[in-house]
Every structure is written in C-alpha cells, then in structure tokens.
Amino acid sequence: MHDVYTGALNSPYCVELISTEEGVDALESDWNRLSACAESPNVFMTYSWFRTWLRRLICDDGRGQLLPNLLLIRQKEAVVGIAPLVRRIVTRPGFRRQKLEFATHHSDYNELVVGKDVRALTHAVMDYLASSARDWDLVDLKEMRDDGNRIADMEAAAASAKLPYRLFWEEDKCLYMPINAPWSTTRKEKHLRFARRACVGLEERAGEGFRVRVTGQPQLEKGLLDRIIAVESQKRIDGLPLPPIIGKYREVFQSLFDVLGPQGALIIVLVEKNEELVAWRFLYRCGTKLWDYMTAYDYAYSALSPGTVLICAAIDYGFSHGCDEFDFLRGMDTYKLRWTHEFRRNRRMILWNSRWLSKLFAASYVRHRVPVSQEDHSHL
C-alpha cells in the first residue's frame, strides 16, 4: 500500500505511507543515507535495527496483527525523511483498536523522524496523521529522547495540525557519565574505590588465565554470539534466573552483528578465563557516545565483580577512541547509581482524534500518568 498525502498548503513535502515489508526493503539505501548524516546518531533509528526487529515482531505477533506503517517524506522525488512507525492491531471482545507506535520497546531512544530538517519534517508527519485520523485510533510514541528541540517541535506540530495530545515523562531515567580521561584517572577523580578493587582483584588472578579485552569487530569472531548466549543463560538477579533476550532473539542479534559490526557501531567487552567466556558487555557506538545496552556474567564468578570490570574497560576504550560519554540507557539499577547520578528523562506522547472511541482509548492511557507539566497539553 502506498497512499500519498501531498501535504499542507505551501508545504514542500509530500508523505507516502509504506505498509508492506517489500516497501520497507526498498528503502535501505535512502534510510542509510539519512542515518549517516544525522547530527546525533541513533542506532535504534537505523534501517538495520528497524528491519531486523520488524521481521521478528511480525512473526511473534502474527501476520495481520502488526504491520509496517512507515511514513516516507519526499521533497519532489528525493526522500528527505522517514517516520519509522508500525501499526499494531489489538482485538478484544467488543472492540478492535489500531495503534501506531515505534517498532519495539527494545529501543531505549526513539525519534519521530530521521532526516535533517527535523522541525519541518515533524510538521509534515503530524499533518499526515491528522489527515489520516480515520485510519487509526491512537498514536503512542514511547521513549523519545529530547535531542535539541525535537519534543518542542512535536508539540508545536501537533497543535498546528489540531491533533489532541498529552506529553508525559517516562518512568525510567537514563543515567550517564562523561568520558574525559582514561580509566586510571577517572577512578581517582571520582573516588570509585569499589571499581579499583574489582580491577585489581582480577589483575591479581591473571596467572589463572583471566583477561579483559574489547572487540570492535564481533562479526569476525566465529562462535562469539553462541558463547554470549551461553553466559546470558547464567544471568541472575538476587539469585533468580532472568529470561534471556539475546538467546530469545538470536537471529535479530546475529543480523546486528553482521550489519553494525563492520560499521564500527557494535562494541563488545569480554572477560575470559583462558578460552572460557566469563562475562560480556554489549555496547553501541553512536557518534561520540557509548551506549551500554546489555550485560551478563556467569554467576559462578560473581565474587570477582566482572560487571564492574567491564565498565572500567569500556571507559578506557571509549576515551582512547574519541568517545566523550558513557550512557547507561534506561533504568535506575543500583549498580548504575554507584557510577553516576547524572540522568536524562525520555518523553512519551499520546495522540488521539475526534472520534469517541479514540478519546476513550486515550483516557485509559493518560488517567494514571503525570504530565510533563500540570498545564493542559491536550489542545482540544
């Protein structure tokens, strides 16, 4: 399906709906071009991330329950922007709801549009959503990072398009810390004695075959993903096993290895004992930022604090490779608070239309959430 909206009066843009997997496949080169010139790179908004997760989620949800709803923005014939959305159809006894949203909650930072002229592109997307309001019941945009004026642009665009909306803080904060020195200096300046003890403790056992290393080309290491999955199966919180993520979505992460690895966007820090993998940390490099996506260690080695050692090695790697920030991403886990108290807050925007059913669905979402401010953002 390729519906085309020619845009608001005097707008230089037209918006085309891409609602088939074949249509998404055809966008790879244009999408990669737009991502490559992004002012603030975001691995979660790349073609490879969207396409890989879309395939898996369609399989999980069943064909027909989840569909691409990607908005392609053109200026004349050139593709200048993309809104990476999907349409989720929720059926319950007595009603059927069509919700537009981002592809997956496995993304910690989402953005409405990929492209350069973010403000104008955002207005084009909101105008399209308003013109197609008969085709959806709710738009639920989660985990949006406020990069520059993106959120303010979205509010202005929704108001201009006369779309009712509410804006909320996400519950999870995103902790981060600057990288402005090698680890040996950072540990002294920040008085991170617990981290120094962990590193020294592991160094003292080097004779037993322990080592720490970083790979920026994980796709070249045969069997590495399977070793990572094996360690993930040992992951515990308070002694209780956790459901696997990489093991559950193996084909997703294999694809990310194959695509992001050669781009230098996937970094993995490893603790090994001889040939045995003890612990790993899965990082994305986005410009000058290191994003700490996931970690696991063999519970049998927990006394060595391998998770702490991995962070130390990641900071050292980041500094030596021109990175200026280590972002722990979502979640206020206790171990993160030992490193930093600096944080960001993501936003969530709910949009609805004038139909009573859409208002009813929106009310169920907004009733128990605290808006960004106590001012009325609904613009009804």
Side-chain angles (χ1 to χ4, degrees):
M1 181 177 179
H2 294 267
D3 291 345
V4 178
Y5 170 66
T6 56
L9 187 64
N10 297 323
S11 172
Y13 303 117
C14 66
V15 180
E16 178 182 350
L17 172 63
I18 306 297
S19 58
T20 66
E21 293 186 68
E22 294 76 16
V24 174
D25 293 341
L27 297 177
E28 183 172 5
S29 60
D30 282 317
W31 197 329
N32 287 340
R33 170 178 52 81
L34 294 174
S35 294
C37 65
E39 185 175 342
S40 297
N42 183 347
V43 68
F44 303 128
M45 293 291 102
T46 59
Y47 171 84
S48 57
W49 184 274
F50 181 90
R51 190 65 185 102
T52 303
W53 276 109
L54 180 67
R55 288 193 186 101
R56 177 55 193 260
L57 295 172
I58 286 176
C59 290
D60 286 351
D61 288 37
R63 190 171 296 274
Q65 300 302 304
L66 183 73
L67 300 166
N69 202 94
L70 193 144
L71 304 181
L72 189 67
I73 309 165
R74 295 184 184 273
Q75 187 172 21
K76 296 182 179 178
E77 295 301 316
V79 175
V80 295
I82 293 172
L85 302 177
V86 297
R87 180 184 301 266
R88 188 178 299 277
I89 299 174
V90 182
T91 304
R92 297 284 187 274
F95 73 85
R96 182 174 184 269
R97 181 179 66 203
Q98 298 198 60
K99 184 171 68 167
L100 305 184
E101 60 186 12
F102 293 118
T104 169
H105 65 276
H106 295 288
S107 304
D108 289 62
Y109 291 133
N110 291 313
E111 294 161 6
L112 182 59
V113 293
V114 178
K116 278 191 172 181
D117 190 356
V118 173
R119 182 176 181 276
L121 297 178
T122 300
H123 277 264
V125 169
M126 291 295 182
D127 287 339
Y128 175 86
L129 292 175
S131 73
S132 64
R134 67 189 182 280
D135 299 325
W136 53 266
D137 299 307
L138 198 73
V139 181
D140 185 5
L141 304 175
K142 301 177 184 177
E143 299 298 344
M144 295 186 298
R145 67 170 179 171
D146 192 0
D147 181 19
N149 296 312
R150 283 179 180 266
I151 301 299
D153 290 339
M154 290 178 65
E155 290 194 89
S160 175
K162 296 182 172 53
L163 278 173
Y165 73 93
R166 285 290 178 91
L167 190 66
F168 307 94
W169 295 113
E170 292 284 15
E171 292 184 10
D172 283 339
K173 299 174 182 177
C174 299
L175 290 158
Y176 69 93
M177 60 183 291
I179 300 176
N180 48 28
W183 162 240
S184 58
T185 302
T186 300
R187 73 187 186 193
K188 297 175 184 177
E189 292 179 347
K190 289 184 171 290
H191 307 290
L192 300 171
R193 294 185 180 87
F194 72 94
R196 181 182 180 279
R197 286 195 299 270
C199 291
V200 170
L202 196 68
E203 289 168 4
E204 290 175 346
R205 299 184 64 174
E208 300 175 33
F210 285 98
R211 64 169 179 166
V212 183
R213 67 183 180 93
V214 182
T215 174
Q217 295 284 317
Q219 79 284 358
L220 300 180
E221 297 199 24
K222 186 177 180 180
L224 178 57
L225 184 58
D226 290 327
R227 297 171 69 206
I228 285 172
I229 290 171
V231 172
E232 184 188 35
S233 68
Q234 304 297 318
K235 192 170 183 178
R236 302 286 190 276
I237 294 293
D238 297 327
L240 299 175
L242 288 178
I245 295 178
I246 296 181
K248 180 179 179 180
Y249 300 111
R250 188 191 187 286
E251 80 285 358
V252 171
F253 288 94
Q254 182 64 66
S255 178
L256 295 176
F257 265 47
D258 296 340
V259 176
L260 299 180
Q263 297 173 7
L266 179 57
I267 313 298
I268 300 181
V269 190
L270 308 165
V271 174
E272 296 168 311
K273 182 181 180 183
N274 297 318
E275 299 304 314
E276 178 187 3
L277 182 58
V278 171
W280 54 263
R281 201 157 208 109
F282 206 106
L283 303 148
Y284 296 115
R285 177 168 182 169
C286 295
T288 61
K289 316 299 179 187
L290 278 183
W291 290 0
D292 184 34
Y293 187 66
M294 201 178 302
T295 189
Y297 57 84
D298 189 326
Y299 194 66
Y301 295 96
S302 57
L304 295 177
S305 300
T308 298
V309 174
L310 292 169
I311 294 175
C312 299
I315 291 171
D316 230 17
Y317 175 90
F319 179 76
S320 65
H321 287 77
C323 296
D324 56 22
E325 185 177 283
F326 187 89
D327 192 332
F328 288 93
L329 300 181
R330 282 186 292 162
M332 297 293 286
D333 305 76
T334 303
Y335 81 87
K336 297 179 183 180
L337 293 169
R338 301 183 74 184
W339 292 89
T340 182
H341 290 278
E342 297 183 70
F343 65 87
R344 300 184 180 89
R345 296 286 296 274
N346 284 345
R347 314 292 183 92
R348 181 177 185 177
M349 178 179 269
I350 305 291
L351 300 107
W352 61 97
N353 56 49
S354 60
R355 299 198 308 274
W356 71 267
L357 195 58
S358 180
K359 293 179 180 180
L360 181 64
F361 291 145
S364 68
Y365 276 76
V366 305
R367 186 176 297 120
H368 303 296
R369 294 181 173 86
V370 178
V372 169
S373 76
Q374 296 304 314
E375 300 173 3
D376 183 12
H377 287 274
S378 60
H379 292 275
L380 293 172

